[in-house]
Amino acid sequence: MADYDDTFQKEHKINKVLSANSGVLTKGKAQRVVKILDDRYSELKGYIGVPDESYMILKFEAELRGSNIEENAIKLYAEQMNTFVPAEELIPKPPVEYEDAGYKEMESKLETGFL
């Protein structure tokens, strides 16, 4: 994202995509890639790096043995979309996982012709 600028002329971006993927993409697919990237860039630049006030509802679950809490049985949940999910699910994944997901999404959109 750092070197992707939506102010570049569309043809310049298409040429950059073609040269970075020479022999892999046709000009038509490169045009679709640029459309997809422009749309995603427009979506992301609206909130990435922009301060936002938010809150999170947390729920703890524990097992009691008599009047003692079993420390190994404590679970933490976070509310997400009106459902409590294990808090571990909200820990960001390694960057390579997001990159792989992006590649797969782009391949899928190119194969289906989605714009």
Side-chain angles (χ1 to χ4, degrees):
M1 291 294 297
D3 66 347
Y4 190 86
D5 187 347
D6 62 345
T7 61
F8 284 150
Q9 294 295 319
K10 191 167 283 291
E11 198 61 35
H12 177 70
K13 289 189 272 189
I14 292 168
N15 289 335
K16 281 184 82 168
V17 169
L18 275 173
S19 68
N21 297 280
S22 62
V24 177
L25 294 178
T26 63
K27 185 160 185 165
K29 282 190 176 184
Q31 289 169 330
R32 289 201 306 248
V33 166
V34 168
K35 168 80 170 106
I36 293 165
L37 289 175
D38 281 349
D39 290 348
R40 183 58 54 96
Y41 185 80
S42 293
E43 176 188 330
L44 293 177
K45 76 177 184 178
Y47 64 88
I48 298 296
V50 176
D52 183 38
E53 191 173 306
S54 64
Y55 66 93
M56 183 179 286
I57 297 173
L58 300 174
K59 176 175 93 169
F60 287 92
E61 187 178 276
E63 190 176 311
L64 288 176
R65 297 224 179 201
S67 60
N68 297 321
I69 294 175
E70 282 291 316
E71 289 186 35
N72 294 336
I74 296 174
K75 296 178 183 173
L76 174 62
Y77 297 92
E79 184 185 33
Q80 186 172 35
M81 305 295 288
N82 299 321
T83 303
F84 284 97
V85 298
E88 297 84 32
E89 290 182 19
L90 302 179
I91 296 171
K93 298 174 181 86
V96 70
E97 286 188 40
Y98 292 108
E99 190 174 319
D100 288 344
Y103 282 128
K104 288 176 185 169
E105 180 182 350
M106 183 64 78
E107 286 175 347
S108 173
K109 287 181 178 183
L110 287 174
E111 287 174 8
T112 61
F114 176 86
L115 284 180

